[in-house]
Amino acid sequence: MIDLTPKQRKFLEKNAQPLNVSVQIGGAGVTDEQIKHISRLLGEHELIKVKFNEFKDEKIELSKTIADSTDSTLVRLIGNVAILYRAAEEEKDRQFEKGLKKA
């Protein structure tokens, strides 16, 4: 997990805007399988959206739990959608690194 400056958060939010929701949290809540799936998606895409269809009252805590469990950063929670970021392991695969350094 990394600490983001307000400018870096804004940069990632802008890049997340056109993305579709990758994972939806429903009646089963946040399961181990979903955590594994989210971690896999972060490894592939770096930046994803998670939508809370259920547990909307607990979305802040659940978003932080997901971020901690996947070693990612909660960029922002907008409405019922959490934006998560984790840099790719391979430096050559990092899409947002240059933009984050400039921000």
Side-chain angles (χ1 to χ4, degrees):
M1 192 179 325
I2 60 171
D3 288 326
L4 297 172
T5 66
K7 286 185 179 183
Q8 289 172 324
R9 285 185 191 281
K10 198 75 164 167
F11 170 77
L12 289 172
E13 285 177 40
K14 180 181 171 187
N15 282 280
Q17 189 174 8
L19 299 178
N20 292 323
V21 171
S22 302
V23 178
Q24 295 186 20
I25 306 299
V30 178
T31 64
D32 289 340
E33 284 301 313
Q34 282 181 316
I35 294 291
K36 290 177 189 173
H37 181 64
I38 291 168
S39 186
R40 197 168 35 252
L41 287 172
L42 284 165
E44 294 171 9
H45 303 288
E46 292 186 288
L47 191 64
I48 65 167
K49 290 181 180 179
V50 177
K51 182 172 184 177
F52 291 90
N53 292 332
E54 301 288 333
F55 300 98
K56 294 176 183 177
D57 295 336
E58 303 163 28
K59 63 187 172 194
I60 296 170
E61 296 83 17
L62 290 174
S63 297
K64 290 177 182 177
T65 300
I66 293 169
D68 290 341
S69 300
T70 58
D71 195 31
S72 62
T73 301
L74 177 61
V75 176
R76 182 88 63 215
L77 190 59
I78 301 173
N80 294 317
V81 178
I83 302 170
L84 298 170
Y85 169 75
R86 183 176 74 197
E89 290 183 23
E90 296 290 326
E91 202 167 320
K92 63 179 176 58
D93 295 334
R94 295 181 184 163
Q95 305 172 47
F96 304 105
E97 190 170 38
K98 287 181 184 176
L100 287 173
K101 286 182 181 178
K102 288 180 183 178

